Every structure is written in C-alpha cells, then in structure tokens.
Amino acid sequence: MREYYPEEYADIPSERTFRRQAEKIPFCETALMRRGKKYFDDHCMPYVDRIYDDLHANDIWVADNYTCDFTSKGENGKLHRLYLTMFMDAFSGMAVGWHVTEDPSVSDTLLAFRNGVLRCGFPQKVYMDNGSEFTGHDLAGRGHRTRKSWNKEERPATIMERIGIGKIFANPRNADAKAVERMFRTFKEHFAREIPTYLGGNVLERPESYKYKIKHGIVPEDQQIRALIDAYMDGEYNQDPYGGKAKGFEGMTRMQVWNESMKKKSPDEIRRPASEHTLDLLLKRISRAQKIKRNGVFITICGDKLWYYGEETLMHINETVYIRYDPSDPREARIYDMETDKYLWTWKLADELMMDYITENIKDFEDMGKRTSAVRKAMLNVKNGIIGAVDHNKRIDELAIAVERFNRKIKESNGIIQPTSYTPVFAEEEIEEHPQLRDITQITSIIELMSANAQAARKDG
C-alpha cells in the first residue's frame, strides 16, 4: 500500500480491525474455502439421523472393505498390506463375519459372509459398497455398475436372490452413510496402532521407528495377523459398550445387545442353514449362462479357463446351462439347466483339456488321446445301440414311405376336378368326315345336361 497507493496509506485501519472483521466470517465459509469440501461436508452438511425403532438384530448387515494400516509378511516373504472384508450388524454394531485377504474379490466377500452366517444366521438385507468385490454378477448383481447391455443378457438368479436376501447398494462417493466405516476407525485406533509395523493413514501418522523395523525384519506374519483379528473381534470389539441409539440397552456390550434383540424375534424370523454342507451349496459361485461346447463348460479364475467335462457332455452340446462352483476347491462343478434352474450333473475338472502352448511332456498327449478315444467310443456305443434295436425283417423302405406320403397328399387335395363345360378340339380328319362339327363351339357334359332335365321335370310334375 505504501508503494502503490501512498495517498491512501494513512487511512488503513489497524491490524486488530482486520481481525475483528475476519472473526465475523461464518464458520461454514471458512470450513469450505480454507479446509476444503471434505471438512465442510463432515462439519457443516446435514446428515441422516437413522431411526432404530423398527430395526432388530440380523435385519440388516452392512458390508465394506478396509485396508489395514500396517505391514505384514506373506508366505513368500513379501511385505504387503492386508485387507479386511467385514459384515457388521446394523442394529447392534456387532461384527458378525469377516475375512482377511491379500486381494479383495467376490470370493473373499462370500467367505466373510459365510463366516457371519455360520455364527449368526442369515440377515434379511445386506447393505453393500459399490466395489467390484461386492458387485459381482453372481453375488448380488451389478448395483450402480449396471449397464443396459448387461440387463439384456440371460443370467441365472444371484446368490442373494436364491437365498431370499434383499440387497441395498450405497450411493457412490458416500462413505459416511455406512456405519461400518466408524467400525474401521475403531479398528484402526484400538488394533492397528498396536501392530509394530503400524504406518498410519498418511505420512504424518507414520512412526519414526517404521523404517527401522522394516529394515531389521521386525514384521508380523499374515497368519499371526489373522489369529489376532479373530481374537480381537469377539474378545474386545464385540465386548465393548454399545454406542447405538436404540433404547433399553444401556450398559450392555454389542454382543449382549445382539443376543437380547434376537430373543425378541419369533422362530419364523430367524433363518439359519441346516448344515455347513447346505451353506456350501447355497453360497457356491455362479457363472454366466453358456452353451455346452465340445470341450464341455468352463469358468474363468484369475484370467485362466478351467474346463469341466462329463459323460453327458457329448449328448447335450449347444444346450444352455450355468455353473455353480466353489472357488477354493475348483476340482468339480455343478451344472444347472438355464431355463428350469434344475440341477443336472456334477462334472470333474478336465485337466487334459488344458495344455501349455509348448510342452515336452508326452503324458499330456496320452491323457488327451485317452479322452478323445473315450468320447469316440461312447458315440459308437450310442450308434450301435440305435442300429442294434432295429429289426431288419420289419425294416420300412424309404421309397415306399415317400410313395405313401405322396398318395396321401393327392387324396387330401381331391385330385384334379374336370370342368363340365369346355370347348372341344377336333382333328382335321374328323371335320372332313363330319362337316357339321364345324358349328359346335362348346360341349356341356352329358351328366350336367341330364341333371338339368331331371330338375325341370320335377318342377312340371
């Protein structure tokens, strides 16, 4: 001001005057313009206050993934960060099912869900994130990732639809709507910080000793972390005081709230699988609809096709089916009819149909030869069975069948109907012998003439 506006410099108010004016700026304006949109949303925007009056335990499970804020060591010695797939009961806040994985996928989500069902039974609805590990086409549908082209595809019922569980997908970029996010914050503060290789959510949170521990191998193994998480969930987190808004549960732990709420439900409202085998069948992965090919049917795992072949393959080529399989044990697959949803067969993994582009193992070719020989033999048996069932003494001549078919069509058409009146055509010799024929231009059938005379006679009588 002194350099550019010397004439106005003497009229500048004091520094305290500027401070007083700055203090009058509304908090929401400084929150947005100085702290950013995230801070503004967290501290200024209105939020939904959920009502728990009509909600009970196991009504809704909330699912999400969390990237662990610490480093661990895998079986191959590689350092990485694990992921925690979590299902949390919306009413009690209790952790019902979880699974620790190196790379989240639909299969890991199913394992966490299976863990929850074994412990607590089936929920009525599941509230899920929009990550690809939750929006698999066979788990609960594509959620907000749905495309018009996908809706046109023929597809079997999803796992959630088959079991009768409703699904809700969170709106994109709205993480605050999921209560499980608060659970992850608690997990970070009370569990992750106790791990030696804790690195925090950003550089400012990272302890100075982190690099030293990594350099000297002071790193926990994955199996240790999994055991610790299993113990922490039921041993501490689910035993912490209930912090929800439902009335009448003051002083209880999350697990006690879940137990008390379940007591108020009628037996018809509580759904549990009959056995682990039943649960395994219900939670098998589902492929898209496909036609049986000469190699059978296939699933794709990690970008590789796994083919399944059975004795029935040859006689059902080009029929539309879908597959249900266990990704943790893909040695066999169950085949279902696409139209009727009926179980058809269980086929084994056909290892001999998968071979390296260049292989020197002669056994690979021998196995493939055995497979093709077996298929050819089966087809010959079918052929011989058909031919052997024919009595050659009663064999029907194909030409005789054709003649009979032609004669039947002639009878059905009533043959050619001759006209009763027509113009006669005479040969020149006939006209020379009988010149009077030149004056005849039309002949009427004698039968028609007799019929007309008879009708005239009856009228006269």
Side-chain angles (χ1 to χ4, degrees), residues 176-246:
D176 290 338
K178 299 190 295 298
V180 72
E181 296 286 349
R182 293 190 288 276
M183 183 269 169
F184 289 149
R185 192 178 305 121
T186 302
F187 179 83
K188 173 183 176 181
E189 297 297 329
H190 294 263
F191 180 88
R193 285 185 180 275
E194 302 300 323
I195 304 300
T197 52
Y198 173 76
L199 49 77
N202 53 56
V203 177
L204 298 178
E205 294 181 355
R206 186 170 303 173
E208 294 182 4
S209 61
Y210 175 77
K211 291 185 178 180
Y212 175 85
K213 293 175 180 178
I214 295 296
K215 181 178 179 180
H216 291 83
I218 309 176
V219 180
E221 297 180 355
D222 288 352
Q223 58 184 0
Q224 294 176 303
I225 296 298
R226 290 188 172 95
L228 281 172
I229 290 177
D230 290 342
Y232 168 79
M233 290 301 177
D234 276 341
E236 181 171 336
Y237 179 79
N238 288 339
Q239 302 301 329
D240 283 344
Y242 171 67
K245 298 182 180 180

Side-chain angles (χ1 to χ4, degrees), residues 67-82:
T67 305
C68 294
D69 293 295
F70 50 81
T71 304
S72 61
K73 185 189 303 181
E75 295 181 358
N76 57 0
K78 184 179 179 180
L79 302 183
H80 54 198
R81 296 172 66 180
L82 294 172

Side-chain angles (χ1 to χ4, degrees), residues 244-258:
K245 298 182 180 180
K247 299 179 181 179
F249 299 98
E250 292 79 6
M252 293 186 181
T253 65
R254 295 186 179 98
M255 187 174 290
Q256 289 173 339
V257 172
W258 188 90

Side-chain angles (χ1 to χ4, degrees), residues 39 78 122 137 227 294 329 334 371:
Y39 186 88
K78 184 179 179 180
F122 287 110
H137 69 91
R294 58 179 184 171
D329 185 13
R334 295 169 65 87
R371 169 68 69 180

Side-chain angles (χ1 to χ4, degrees), residues 393-411:
N393 295 326
K394 297 181 179 180
R395 186 164 184 153
I396 300 175
D397 190 349
E398 294 183 4
L399 293 178
I401 294 176
V403 172
E404 176 63 24
R405 185 171 68 253
F406 298 152
N407 289 333
R408 184 170 60 251
K409 289 184 177 181
I410 291 174
K411 291 179 181 179

Side-chain angles (χ1 to χ4, degrees), residues 130-392:
N130 285 277
S132 58
E133 63 273 20
F134 298 105
T135 56
H137 69 91
D138 60 335
L139 175 60
R142 298 292 289 169
H144 293 285
R145 294 171 178 255
T146 302
R147 297 179 180 178
K148 293 182 179 180
S149 59
W150 183 77
N151 290 329
K152 295 178 182 179
E153 295 180 6
E154 187 178 15
R155 64 178 183 89
T158 64
I159 293 174
M160 294 299 178
E161 291 171 345
R162 187 178 297 275
I163 301 175
I165 297 177
K167 53 187 183 296
I168 307 169
F169 289 97
N171 292 328
R173 298 177 295 278
N174 188 26
D176 290 338
K178 299 190 295 298
V180 72
E181 296 286 349
R182 293 190 288 276
M183 183 269 169
F184 289 149
R185 192 178 305 121
T186 302
F187 179 83
K188 173 183 176 181
E189 297 297 329
H190 294 263
F191 180 88
R193 285 185 180 275
E194 302 300 323
I195 304 300
T197 52
Y198 173 76
L199 49 77
N202 53 56
V203 177
L204 298 178
E205 294 181 355
R206 186 170 303 173
E208 294 182 4
S209 61
Y210 175 77
K211 291 185 178 180
Y212 175 85
K213 293 175 180 178
I214 295 296
K215 181 178 179 180
H216 291 83
I218 309 176
V219 180
E221 297 180 355
D222 288 352
Q223 58 184 0
Q224 294 176 303
I225 296 298
R226 290 188 172 95
L228 281 172
I229 290 177
D230 290 342
Y232 168 79
M233 290 301 177
D234 276 341
E236 181 171 336
Y237 179 79
N238 288 339
Q239 302 301 329
D240 283 344
Y242 171 67
K245 298 182 180 180
K247 299 179 181 179
F249 299 98
E250 292 79 6
M252 293 186 181
T253 65
R254 295 186 179 98
M255 187 174 290
Q256 289 173 339
V257 172
W258 188 90
N259 291 333
E260 290 298 321
S261 179
M262 290 298 291
K263 291 179 182 178
K264 299 178 181 180
K265 283 193 166 186
S266 65
D268 295 338
E269 296 176 314
I270 301 175
R271 301 175 61 207
R272 297 187 67 88
S275 64
E276 287 194 36
H277 175 69
T278 301
L279 183 59
D280 290 340
L281 292 177
L282 290 173
L283 298 184
K284 283 186 178 293
R285 294 291 309 274
I286 302 174
S287 73
R288 296 182 184 273
Q290 60 177 287
K291 289 187 176 181
I292 299 176
K293 302 178 176 61
R294 58 179 184 171
N295 265 15
V297 294
F298 70 90
I299 62 174
T300 302
I301 296 182
C302 299
D304 296 327
K305 282 186 178 180
L306 302 183
W307 288 93
Y308 295 87
Y309 199 95
E311 297 178 356
E312 304 83 3
T313 301
L314 186 63
M315 303 304 296
H316 295 275
I317 290 178
N318 289 332
E319 293 184 9
T320 303
V321 298
Y322 70 90
I323 308 169
R324 301 190 68 192
Y325 63 96
D326 182 357
S328 63
D329 185 13
R331 288 175 294 181
E332 65 179 26
R334 295 169 65 87
I335 315 300
Y336 289 78
D337 181 77
M338 186 63 210
E339 185 175 347
T340 63
D341 203 27
K342 178 182 177 182
Y343 165 74
L344 300 175
W345 319 284
T346 297
W347 288 353
K348 300 292 184 181
L349 183 65
D351 296 328
E352 65 276 4
L353 297 181
M354 294 168 284
M355 190 184 305
D356 293 335
Y357 189 82
I358 298 178
T359 180
E360 297 179 357
N361 188 357
I362 192 65
K363 189 177 183 301
D364 293 342
F365 295 100
E366 292 177 354
D367 292 342
M368 185 59 188
K370 291 178 181 178
R371 169 68 69 180
T372 54
S373 298
V375 173
R376 188 175 291 108
K377 183 178 180 180
M379 193 67 247
L380 290 175
N381 290 337
V382 173
K383 175 184 176 182
N384 293 334
I386 295 174
I387 296 177
V390 176
D391 187 348
H392 294 280

Side-chain angles (χ1 to χ4, degrees), residues 37-50 62 64 127 129 170-183 185:
K37 185 177 181 301
K38 178 69 169 59
Y39 186 88
F40 173 79
D41 291 344
D42 292 343
H43 294 82
C44 301
M45 292 294 290
Y47 61 91
V48 175
D49 192 6
R50 300 184 185 274
V62 186
D64 204 353
Y127 185 65
D129 190 35
N171 292 328
R173 298 177 295 278
N174 188 26
D176 290 338
K178 299 190 295 298
V180 72
E181 296 286 349
R182 293 190 288 276
M183 183 269 169
R185 192 178 305 121

